[in-house]
């Protein structure tokens, strides 16, 4: 796709003014870094990072049967979720493969928001619309008019308190307690300059953090306020460090650890599928009929040194037998050694198993470990 055809977020001019390096991500022109991947990664772990995630999809479902429609459409039981909470779930194919992993927020008894990955946003919206047929619900794809700004890191709560509750912040309807008492996968609503503002304690970095949803036209002003008030405590961050952060936290990436050709159980996501707590839903029959014997499973791998295995690198056992492939890998900025996720044969998936990865033609000894690789204190 030519650069002029790439979609831009409402914050593009801000990123350009900050000297960002851009990349094509799922058809969007997105900042991959501003300065140093390592410095941005470190900022999130030690203080706070500021991310533009406006390429994600936002799909609202409103109506008296919104909960029932989502119970049918998704693998989780959305009807059991309380108002003010968020829930991670999967959108499955009829055969039980994964179309996407999503987060769903419940605003009221009859209003939900489903947030989709950028690469699947249009597909997810079309699937949800099709699966809502026959239910009394309206599906509204608000992706093109919604911006998403994430503040992630141990200083994120204080930065938001200072920014959103300060004089002339433009924010109304939110209190300090709304933020300080907000637990993970909870959210609060307010307004920013008279328009809706959703603040959720969610993220994709393994750190404490928040994600803020608001109309496109107000995103630059909010970004500038967060930057000005945050000062040295907050660093603009691109997609490169977001990937190493999520890898350290053992979080799957669609297209790497999740996909239409993978069952949830292979990716360690079997618990997300509500086989016991609800009746029929799209993908249930496929999951129940699936034969997982002989199928690879996801594991974490660690190594010594500085050479990191990358996606698709071959994994072998001690006898030289090919037993799998790397799905994601990097030299961990926080831990200082190589880490990776890989799909391997079930017979070599036990924690402590010694394996070998082919890194550009050279053998790299690795060991199976529990995930996540990094967990905040």
């Amino acid at each position: 796709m030519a650069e002029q055809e790439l979609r831009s977020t409402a914050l593009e001019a801000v990123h350009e003014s900050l000297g960002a390096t851009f990349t094509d991500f799922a058809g969007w022109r997105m900042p991959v870094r501003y300065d140093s991947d390592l410095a941005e990664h470190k900022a999130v772990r030690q203080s706070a990072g500021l991310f533009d995630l406006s390429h994600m999809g936002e799909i609202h479902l409103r109506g008296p049967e919104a909960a029932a429609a989502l119970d049918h459409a998704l693998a989780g039981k959305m009807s059991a979720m309380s108002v003010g909470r968020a829930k991670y779930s999967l959108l499955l194919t009829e055969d039980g493969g994964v179309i996407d992993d999503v987060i769903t927020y419940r605003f009221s008894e009859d209003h939900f928001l489903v947030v989709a990955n950028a690469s699947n946003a249009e597909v997810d919206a079309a699937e949800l619309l099709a699966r809502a047929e026959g239910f009394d619900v309206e599906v509204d794809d608000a992706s093109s008019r919604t911006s998403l700004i994430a503040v992630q890191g141990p200083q994120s709560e204080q930065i938001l308190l200072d920014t959103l509750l300060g004089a002339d912040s433009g924010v109304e309807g939110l209190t300090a307690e709304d933020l300080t008492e907000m637990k993970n996968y909870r959210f609060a609503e307010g307004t920013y300059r008279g328009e809706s503002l959703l603040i959720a304690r969610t993220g994709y970095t393994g750190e404490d953090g928040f994600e803020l949803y608001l109309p496109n036209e107000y995103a630059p002003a909010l970004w500038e306020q967060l930057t000005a008030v945050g000062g040295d405590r907050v660093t603009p961050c691109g997609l490169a460090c977001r990937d190493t952060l999520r890898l350290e936290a053992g979080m799957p990436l669609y297209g790497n650890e999740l996909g239409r050709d993978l069952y949830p159980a292979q990716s360690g996501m079997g618990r997300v599928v509500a086989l016991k707590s609800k009746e029929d839903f799209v993908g249930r029959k496929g999951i129940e009929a699936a034969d997982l014997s002989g199928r690879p499973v996801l594991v974490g791998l660690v190594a010594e040194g500085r050479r990191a295995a990358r996606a698709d690198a071959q994994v072998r056992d001690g006898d030289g037998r090919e037993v799998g492939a790397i799905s994601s890998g990097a030299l961990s900025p926080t831990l200082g050694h190589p880490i990776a996720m890989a799909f391997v044969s079930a017979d070599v998936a036990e924690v402590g198993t010694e394996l070998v990865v082919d890194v550009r033609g050279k053998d790299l000894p690795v060991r199976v470990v529990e995930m996540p690789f990094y967990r905040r204190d």
Side-chain angles (χ1 to χ4, degrees):
M1 182 179 288
E3 184 170 302
Q4 62 266 26
E5 297 176 334
L6 296 179
R7 301 174 67 181
S8 299
T9 76
L11 292 162
E12 183 174 58
V14 175
H15 303 318
E16 289 179 337
S17 72
L18 294 171
T21 299
F22 290 87
T23 189
D24 174 356
F25 186 88
W28 289 81
R29 186 171 183 253
M30 297 297 295
V32 67
R33 67 181 59 82
Y34 297 86
D35 183 12
S36 158
D37 297 350
L38 292 177
E40 292 170 21
H41 183 111
K42 182 179 178 181
V44 176
R45 290 282 182 249
Q46 297 184 352
S47 184
L50 190 62
F51 296 84
D52 177 13
L53 306 178
S54 303
H55 57 326
M56 303 285 278
E58 292 86 17
I59 306 146
H60 292 267
L61 286 87
R62 300 179 179 90
E65 293 186 326
L70 284 172
D71 278 352
H72 168 68
L74 300 178
K77 190 173 183 179
M78 300 300 115
S79 61
M81 180 168 51
S82 302
V83 171
R85 295 198 177 194
K87 187 178 182 67
Y88 178 87
S89 191
L90 301 172
L91 185 69
L92 302 178
T93 66
E94 291 280 0
D95 294 333
V98 181
I99 296 174
D100 201 8
D101 60 332
V102 300
I103 293 180
T104 301
Y105 301 85
R106 189 168 197 170
F107 289 84
S108 66
E109 290 301 308
D110 59 1
H111 180 194
F112 294 79
L113 168 65
V114 177
V115 177
N117 284 302
S119 58
N120 296 319
E122 293 182 2
V123 171
D124 289 8
E127 281 289 341
L128 289 171
L129 182 61
R131 296 179 187 190
E133 186 174 352
F135 292 91
D136 187 0
V137 62
E138 175 188 328
V139 179
D140 172 24
D141 184 358
S143 305
S144 64
R145 58 183 191 268
T146 306
S147 288
L148 169 54
I149 296 172
V151 187
Q152 298 283 301
Q155 289 291 317
S156 56
E157 179 184 287
Q158 190 59 53
I159 291 168
L160 285 187
L161 287 169
D162 295 343
T163 304
L164 303 183
L165 301 179
D168 302 319
S169 68
V171 175
E172 294 183 354
L174 289 169
T175 66
E177 289 72 24
D178 287 333
L179 295 176
T180 58
E181 296 180 8
M182 187 186 298
K183 297 180 180 179
N184 287 333
Y185 276 74
R186 307 290 197 278
F187 67 90
E189 295 179 82
T191 61
Y192 179 68
R193 302 191 177 187
E195 298 294 330
S196 64
L197 174 66
L198 165 65
I199 302 178
R201 201 158 206 154
T202 49
Y204 194 54
T205 63
E207 292 295 337
D208 185 22
F210 298 82
E211 295 181 317
L212 296 82
Y213 299 82
L214 74 166
N216 287 338
E217 54 267 35
Y218 298 97
L222 182 56
W223 178 285
E224 296 288 3
Q225 281 180 240
L226 289 164
T227 301
V229 176
D232 293 340
R233 294 174 295 171
V234 66
T235 300
C237 294
L239 296 182
C241 83
R242 190 166 182 256
D243 192 47
T244 51
L245 289 161
R246 70 92 193 169
L247 177 56
E248 288 182 345
M251 295 178 168
L253 175 66
Y254 188 86
N256 292 47
E257 287 78 40
L258 298 166
R260 289 173 180 258
D261 59 342
L262 292 165
Y263 291 108
Q266 290 181 257
S267 305
M269 293 292 167
R271 67 188 184 283
V272 177
V273 183
L275 291 173
K276 295 181 179 179
S277 61
K278 67 175 184 175
E279 299 301 319
D280 194 32
F281 56 90
V282 178
R284 182 185 184 109
K285 291 184 175 63
I287 294 286
E288 291 178 329
D291 180 7
L292 299 182
S293 60
R295 281 185 168 266
V297 296
L298 188 67
V299 298
L301 300 174
V302 298
E304 297 181 355
R306 310 289 291 179
R307 290 190 301 134
R310 303 299 180 182
D312 300 324
Q314 184 186 94
V315 182
R316 304 190 305 274
D317 65 11
D319 298 325
R321 176 177 63 106
E322 183 178 353
V323 293
I326 300 294
S327 56
S328 297
L331 177 62
S332 167
T334 304
L335 304 175
H337 59 73
I339 61 174
M341 287 193 267
F343 284 96
V344 301
S345 301
D347 62 336
V348 296
E350 185 177 349
V351 170
T353 303
E354 303 284 344
L355 300 169
V356 175
V357 177
D358 184 340
V359 180
R360 295 178 291 280
K362 295 184 178 180
D363 288 350
L364 176 68
V366 295
R367 185 179 77 259
V368 177
V369 297
E370 291 183 354
M371 289 191 285
F373 305 100
Y374 163 87
R375 182 179 282 110
R376 72 177 188 266
D377 295 334

